[in-house]
Amino acid sequence: MAIIVLKFGGTSVANAEKIRRAAERVIKAAKKGFSVVVVASARGKQTDGLIADALELNPEPPERELDQLLSTGEIQTVSLFAMALAAAGYDAISFTGGQIRMITDGVHTKARIKSIDAERIHNELKKGRIVLVAGFQGIDEYGNITTLGRGGSDTSAVALAAALDAQQCEIYTDVDGIFTTDPRIFKKAVKMEKISYDEILEMASMGAAVMHSRAVEFGKKHNVKIHVRNSGKEIEGTKITTEESQMEDIVVSGATIQEDMAKISLTNVDNKPGNAARLFSQLAKANVLINDIVQTEVSPQKANLSFTIGISDLRAAKKAVEAVRGELNCDDIFVRDDIAEISVIGVGMRSHYGIADKMFGALARAKVNIDSITTSEIRISCIVDKQQGHKALQAVCLAFELDRPAPKRKKYKKRKPAKK
Ligand code: ADP
Ligand code: ASP
Ligand code: MG
């Protein structure tokens, strides 16, 4: 029998009524003949509440204990969900991440999945049961509970879909699908029918909370069919697909804002071989995830070096930088945690002119100052003052007409393929 994985986010299971409604969806899939695996998040804002509880007792909680605590939110949801299914006459069994041997590395609060015991789930499905798995959590090789980072239940779901060779993975959330940008900030954002793995990966990495970026990585690697949908409506959402040729014609398909971030700048670092390696190996040892790095030579002897990180890594990053400060011989270290990063993303950027120009022009007209700029093949990002973040995102969205469906947007000049 074909397997389907259904994932329900926090707002979709926030109370008994919503769990009942989600259970109805699960029953519908079972009635269609699917073997159903459900992954669920903690109810409502429970993870935020648990973090606040921890911080009240210890402003720097030990990360192992934080994981142990946070994992309980998802466990509550799946056991309640199984009870709702049982009440409706369905045989259901819930598991923690540890019980299905979702093995991760030992990096607490942002662990990465290494393997999953699909056998245990297959056995339960064969018995005709609906299987529920607590999202966001696993165990390391020593049996310690780990969590996968905020929003990590998406990754649990897609990784399970890959391990079980599921026909599809449906991500149920509180919006109608993936929009051109966060519809809560830019009200005129439009829903996309489909989006390529590469684009949503870049959007998710740059702050689009609608999907956890590791989930998209798994999906792309294992070719999992992902469909992002609204748990409260019976409508199609957005399908994540491999790139199709007409996608190249859409120059900018989405824009993002990342607000929970910080930037560390080191000025007048000795410009000699090995200094960047020294700094970044220290940061790697401290398990700090780096977003973007910018280094510029200021003289043959000196360089300025800056990098951006998630704000949750700031404490560890500062410690790591201080540890090598002497060796780098820098003048000053500046930390900014009042920034936001605005990005535009689209696979069509590879083959069209005028995108950077349009983005910088829109920010200039909105009187938003750009702190720094980074690019990839399919993305342009600008760091701006956090206070101006929403205004900047709106200006960029209007400039790229992200309030209209792609075929109705202005066309850009196409680059001619290089002559051989
Ligand atoms: P869940 O609890 O279901 O996982 P999340 O809050 O993690 O839900 O993700 C859904 C939210 O993502 C939406 O409410 C929306 O505000 C935000 N979001 C950010 N960017 C986008 C986007 N491009 N399209 C849709 N939603 C987005
Ligand atoms: N409950 C976790 C969070 O709030 C994981 C998730 O919802 O995906 O981040
Ligand atoms: Mg989420």
Side-chain angles (χ1 to χ4, degrees), residues 161-210:
L164 296 166
D165 203 15
Q167 188 172 312
Q168 186 151 325
C169 180
E170 303 204 329
I171 305 284
Y172 284 97
T173 183
D174 58 354
V175 283
D176 290 353
I178 300 171
F179 283 67
T180 47
T181 195
D182 189 337
R184 297 194 196 283
I185 301 176
F186 182 60
K187 301 271 181 272
K188 294 185 194 157
V190 292
K191 188 182 89 183
M192 293 183 248
E193 233 173 85
K194 48 189 167 182
I195 184 167
S196 70
Y197 286 108
D198 284 339
E199 284 169 317
I200 185 60
L201 182 56
E202 200 85 41
M203 281 179 77
S205 315
M206 299 315 297
V210 65

Side-chain angles (χ1 to χ4, degrees), residues 19 33 53 68 91 101 107 135 162 168 176 199 210 224 226 239-240 250 264 284 325 339 391-392 401 407:
I19 293 180
D53 289 348
Q68 183 102 340
D91 197 3
R101 300 200 58 73
V107 184
Q168 186 151 325
D176 290 353
E199 284 169 317
V210 65
V224 179
I226 306 173
K239 291 186 174 134
I240 303 180
I250 307 170
I264 300 188
R325 178 184 191 149
I339 50 170
K391 179 167 97 168
E401 300 170 275

